[in-house]
Amino acid sequence: MPQIELLVPDIGDFHDVAVIEVLVKPGETIKPEQSVVTVESDKASMEIPATQGGVLKELKVKLGDKLSKGSVLAVLEDSAGSAAASAPTSAAQVAPPSPSAAPARDVAQVTGSTPTIQPAAPPTVAPPGPAAVATVPAPAATGAARLPHASPSVRQFARSLGVPLHEVRGTGPKGRISQQDVQAFVKHTVATRDAGASASAAAATTGATGPGLSVLPWPQIDFEKFGPVQRQPLSRIKKISGANLHRNWVMIPHVTNHDEADITELEAFRVQLNQEHEKAGLKFTLLAFLIKASVLALKKFPVFNAALDGDDLVLKGYFNIGFAADTPNGLVVPVIREADRKGISDLAQESAELAKLARDGKLTPAQMQGGCFSISSLGGIGGTTFTPIINAPEVAILGVCRSALKPIWNGQAFAPRLVLPLSLSYDHRVIDGATAARFNAYLAQLLGDFRRACL
Ligand code: CAO
């Protein structure tokens, strides 16, 4: 079969315009007037159509190449049908057609500050069909109006999905919107809608009806416009924990009760224990005391040692305590099994071992399962209060911030006391505010006088 060169037709004032998209692949059967590449000048972009049909044997252009009228786009193997459909030539080379025969696609964008649209052919001769310019309705035609920066094929793609291009953030050069940007926009919009649908579904299980979660699309910002930026993909842990945190935050009606524990004596005891066991390399951490106190509080208030399962509350007869561990790759929650059967030194040792495994990325899934209640201790870092997010299907989590010396009135005078802030987030569907306040007050009482733990 004869081979022919596919040339760039007359594209008006465009010379040396860069290829920003290649729309066809070798082996593909090209129809006359099918878009082959998108080119872009300073002011606009356009798709260049094939002047001839046939099987694409070889592409002669790649991204970034500069094209002008007559540049070779590809080599086609002519076929009878396509030859008939195109203006036949006896030569191996197809002469550039007249603009009316195969006009370059209209330019559907404005970039920079010049509010002009530079059509490659008068609209009256623009070919109909799917490749015709998908002109997204522009805002009122003022000098400040901007059409989104995207090639016609991306516009068509966005239009076929009903995506408003002006809401999509372009990640290409000069903020150009690519097909991937449109896909990312759709993905995000669907995820946001699903979160709302999940919340609505949860409401439906309880017979409630309501408007669901209807939120605005995520802001699409051209950050580079304001200064240099770096992009880092989220770690695997961050993606997983982020999705879990998002679900828990959206689906659980959180309330956080804040209280304070006077740990002056406990801290003196802990320091003393550490001195006594220094040679043995044993460290008694505050976290271990918090785990012990939490187990006792869970025993006293069983509704905290529970999970919601549909319309049932599952009350657990075991006491597995998770604790948030900060690792270079993100947050993980190892679980200490049967914490009720372990002493403070065992709890300290096991939590230190699990925290190390977490930081080294060596925790097994089993070591993060089966939790009943979680503790998030930021005390080694700082803070006064915070709102920890419940680790579903648990129904509460204890957040602990940094203890501080405070002047506390003892009935006769102000005395310096070491005060530990306790932030208890609870699922209000399961736990009432008064019960949560009692739980937190009981914890504070235990930590204030740990002899009570023996009772
Ligand atoms: N107030 C004051 N000091 C505290 C304290 C508190 N509440 N808690 C711990 N400290 C001190 C410790 O005494 C220790 O000091 P010394 O070395 O002098 O004894 C120092 O802070 C460091 O403690 P640590 O944080 O290493 O150890 P830990 O047992 O207290 O905590 C762990 C271990 C795993 C909980 C911690 O390393 C961690 O990862 N914390 C972050 C948890 C997190 O990211 N939470 C947020 C999750 S979002 O809800």
Side-chain angles (χ1 to χ4, degrees):
M1 279 193 202
Q3 296 206 334
I4 51 171
E5 281 185 333
L6 194 61
L7 304 182
V8 174
D10 185 356
I11 48 175
D13 291 339
F14 285 75
H15 302 285
D16 282 328
V17 280
V19 176
I20 58 164
E21 260 182 321
V22 178
L23 305 165
V24 290
K25 290 193 289 291
E28 205 177 316
T29 302
I30 310 286
K31 294 196 192 98
E33 297 191 1
Q34 178 176 340
S35 296
V36 178
V37 292
T38 307
V39 291
E40 183 181 60
S41 74
D42 279 348
K43 295 194 176 68
S45 65
M46 79 171 88
E47 286 177 12
I48 296 184
T51 53
Q52 171 87 5
V55 178
L56 200 156
K57 296 309 285 180
E58 193 187 345
L59 259 176
K60 291 285 193 182
V61 288
K62 58 182 185 318
L63 292 183
D65 283 358
K66 297 284 175 64
L67 302 182
S68 304
K69 176 184 170 187
S71 302
V72 182
L73 291 169
V75 175
L76 298 187
E77 199 163 68
D78 199 5
S79 63
S82 63
S86 65
T89 55
S90 54
Q93 222 177 45
V94 177
S98 70
S100 59
R105 303 291 188 257
D106 191 7
V107 177
Q109 68 175 44
V110 179
T111 60
S113 56
T114 316
T116 53
I117 294 177
Q118 178 84 47
T124 47
V125 294
V133 176
T135 314
V136 173
T142 65
R146 298 271 188 282
L147 283 168
H149 187 178
S151 70
S153 61
V154 169
R155 290 171 185 285
Q156 192 212 337
F157 179 64
R159 190 176 53 173
S160 70
L161 296 174
V163 169
L165 261 195
H166 59 275
E167 290 182 15
V168 178
R169 186 172 69 87
T171 56
K174 295 185 232 157
R176 186 170 63 239
I177 300 166
S178 66
Q179 184 161 330
Q180 283 77 17
D181 293 331
V182 176
Q183 284 165 331
F185 178 89
V186 171
K187 210 168 152 189
H188 174 77
T189 307
V190 168
T192 309
R193 185 207 61 199
D194 285 351
S198 305
S200 303
T205 61
T206 59
T209 55
L213 192 66
S214 170
V215 294
L216 290 173
W218 197 256
Q220 304 285 310
I221 308 289
D222 178 8
F223 299 105
E224 286 87 349
K225 213 166 76 184
F226 304 101
V229 298
Q230 271 190 339
R231 281 188 183 271
Q232 278 184 354
L234 288 178
S235 70
R236 199 180 66 86
I237 289 182
K238 272 216 169 357
K239 280 192 205 158
I240 296 170
S241 65
N244 279 280
L245 289 165
H246 186 190
R247 178 202 56 208
N248 300 347
W249 184 247
V250 168
M251 292 186 69
I252 301 174
H254 283 71
V255 180
T256 305
N257 178 284
H258 300 286
D259 208 334
E260 290 182 336
D262 181 340
I263 59 162
T264 315
E265 272 80 37
L266 177 62
E267 185 58 11
F269 179 49
R270 196 182 73 84
V271 169
Q272 184 191 331
L273 284 173
N274 280 341
Q275 283 166 356
E276 287 170 11
H277 293 82
E278 198 176 355
K279 284 205 180 107
L282 255 184
K283 192 171 174 192
F284 290 80
T285 59
L286 184 61
L287 180 65
F289 285 95
L290 290 167
I291 293 171
K292 192 82 203 161
S294 298
V295 167
L296 295 171
L298 292 178
K299 285 188 172 173
K300 190 170 169 72
F301 300 92
V303 72
F304 279 80
N305 196 28
L308 258 189
D309 186 15
D311 286 344
D312 289 339
L313 191 62
V314 180
L315 292 155
K316 300 171 187 170
Y318 52 90
F319 298 85
N320 298 340
I321 308 294
F323 64 95
D326 178 36
T327 80
N329 288 323
L331 177 70
V332 290
V333 185
V335 173
I336 297 186
R337 302 276 177 102
E338 301 186 322
D340 55 317
R341 300 188 184 186
K342 292 173 182 166
I344 301 283
S345 65
D346 293 334
L347 294 172
Q349 207 173 328
E350 192 172 335
S351 58
E353 283 165 8
L354 286 170
K356 181 169 184 327
L357 285 175
R359 282 192 287 271
D360 295 346
K362 292 183 178 159
L363 276 182
T364 63
Q367 286 169 314
M368 293 183 274
Q369 288 166 0
C372 304
F373 179 81
S374 298
I375 299 176
S376 176
S377 172
L378 292 172
I381 303 167
T384 52
T385 58
F386 73 115
T387 310
I389 297 178
I390 296 163
N391 191 12
E394 296 168 18
V395 293
I397 180 169
L398 176 68
V400 180
C401 285
R402 193 167 190 76
S403 58
L405 273 178
K406 286 190 179 178
I408 303 290
W409 184 253
N410 64 13
Q412 279 134 6
F414 282 103
R417 306 293 295 176
L418 191 62
V419 173
L420 180 73
L422 305 173
S423 301
L424 177 74
S425 291
Y426 56 95
D427 184 336
H428 210 343
R429 293 172 301 178
V430 177
I431 297 162
D432 296 331
T435 313
R438 287 189 192 104
F439 183 98
N440 223 4
Y442 180 63
L443 265 183
Q445 206 183 19
L446 282 175
L447 296 167
D449 185 351
F450 220 79
R451 291 172 308 178
R452 292 176 182 278
C454 310
L455 297 178

